[in-house]
Amino acid sequence: MPKRSAGGRSTKKNTTIKRKSKKAEAVRYAFPKGFLWGAATSAHQVEGNNIHSDWWQWEQKKNTVKNGDRSGMATDHYSKFKEDFDIAQKLSHNAHRLSIEWSRIEPEEGKWDTDAIAHYHAVFQVLKERNMSIMLTLYHFTLPQWMADKGGWEYSAAIDRFNRFVQLCATEYGEYVDYWITINEPLVFVRQAYGIGEWPPQYHNPFKAWRVARTLAKAHIAAYKTLHAQLDRTGRQVMVGIAKNQKSFSTSVKKLADFIALRIADYTWNDWFYKKTKHAHDFIGVNYYFHQRLERRGLFFMQAVSVDEKGDRPVSSMRWEIFAPGLLDVLFDLQRYNKPIFITENGLATENDAMRSQYIVSHVKEMYHAVHAGVDVRGYFHWSLLDNFEWSEGFTPRFGLVGVSYKTGRRTIHNSARVYAGIAASNGITDDILQTTPII
Ligand code: BGC
């Protein structure tokens, strides 16, 4: 029977409208209550004027960042954070992941900057006023320049110095932070900075890479212990983990050697760091961007490729292959650690906003399948809230749900941000979104 309108009369027209809007609201892929929906950023990529960090110094040299870009004022999030969090709130985000810039807090060894400390108090308060859960990263690729001068992660006191900073963060910000990420993508950093030598300090040395990877594992364990030692007594639940880049690997060749290569790649990239830091994770943070096919080049040479060289899959503007089912593989693999899982990053660089919407819906749908197969996924943070400084790629790649004009600082909320807002607001993917956003 058609429902009656407020005035008591039922007309065919308003019945159709009612039915349509009811249908539009149906949540086809619903997530558990309390699921976190947000976006992620990192300090150096958005704040601007981050003059005491090693990246800032490095950018000033020639031929470091593409097109001679320098982070400069970046998106000026340091002064516009309120405006940016207003946008996130308007977009129905109930959580936000961000990083704190160590080089602002401790611009000189052992000297704490009280203004910078107060600044982050303001940042966290603004997020809490907007009812957003906070996930805080303590190290996201940038070091204070003084620490880099002493050898960075090779400095004999590196773990101790990092731990001292962690301790300060626990004391100052323990009351706001819901999830602590000690280190962002340890192995991406090691690969870029010590393996292929693209990021500062630009070493191309496997031994150093190995040493630094081990140091980062120890630094994580030390920070994990410090956060618990300091915050458990407050009675708040303390959740500590890392954000780890996980890849979905595959190979089309079925020879034993290929299979072994696949296992080695999978173990080294996806599992080794977790094995090294066993018992120091309250949750697993997953940054998912890559599906890599291992292909044979010549007789012995195996190569991992993330671009779709055959052209049969869509790619981002950075030519990274888009493969949403890989997220499902990664999540199933991580189930063995028996911990809550958060997607701490997932996103793409593109100037094609319709593609970003499709990317989001496709990945969220895969995440849904994982959740409903029993994987304990508790939240999703899209990379990124804002366009930002993409490390050695500079400002060209556009990762933002919200576009930023680097000339005027103007923010533009993309349609994809609204699609994602629809998912966040309904805690799942509605029929309406599915009907208007094709899966890729
Ligand atoms: C990093 C971000 C980076 C993003 C896109 C992740 O590896 O954590 O800092 O901007 O991927 O490349």
Side-chain angles (χ1 to χ4, degrees), residues 41-42 45 97 140-141 184-185 188 199 243 245 287 289-290 318 320 345 347 349 383-384 388-391 393 399:
T41 58
S42 94
Q45 293 180 271
R97 177 180 169 220
H140 197 126
F141 300 155
N184 180 67
E185 297 191 338
V188 169
W199 292 358
N245 185 294
N287 292 2
Y289 293 95
F290 297 115
M318 292 170 84
W320 296 355
E345 282 182 37
W383 184 270
S384 180
N388 57 59
F389 179 72
E390 176 56 22
W391 307 114
E393 297 291 319
F399 274 94

Side-chain angles (χ1 to χ4, degrees), residues 84-140:
D84 293 336
F85 296 152
D86 279 342
I87 296 176
Q89 186 188 31
K90 205 159 82 191
L91 293 171
S92 300
H93 297 192
N94 61 9
H96 186 66
R97 177 180 169 220
L98 74 169
S99 78
I100 185 162
E101 182 56 42
W102 180 5
S103 65
R104 286 188 191 275
I105 301 279
E106 193 180 359
E108 286 174 55
E109 188 169 8
K111 291 203 177 134
W112 307 113
D113 183 319
T114 49
D115 288 347
I117 292 174
H119 169 82
Y120 286 107
H121 272 283
V123 167
F124 300 136
Q125 275 157 11
V126 163
L127 284 169
K128 283 292 157 201
E129 280 158 22
R130 282 154 186 71
N131 288 324
M132 290 160 90
S133 295
I134 298 176
M135 184 176 270
L136 180 67
T137 311
L138 297 165
Y139 171 67
H140 197 126

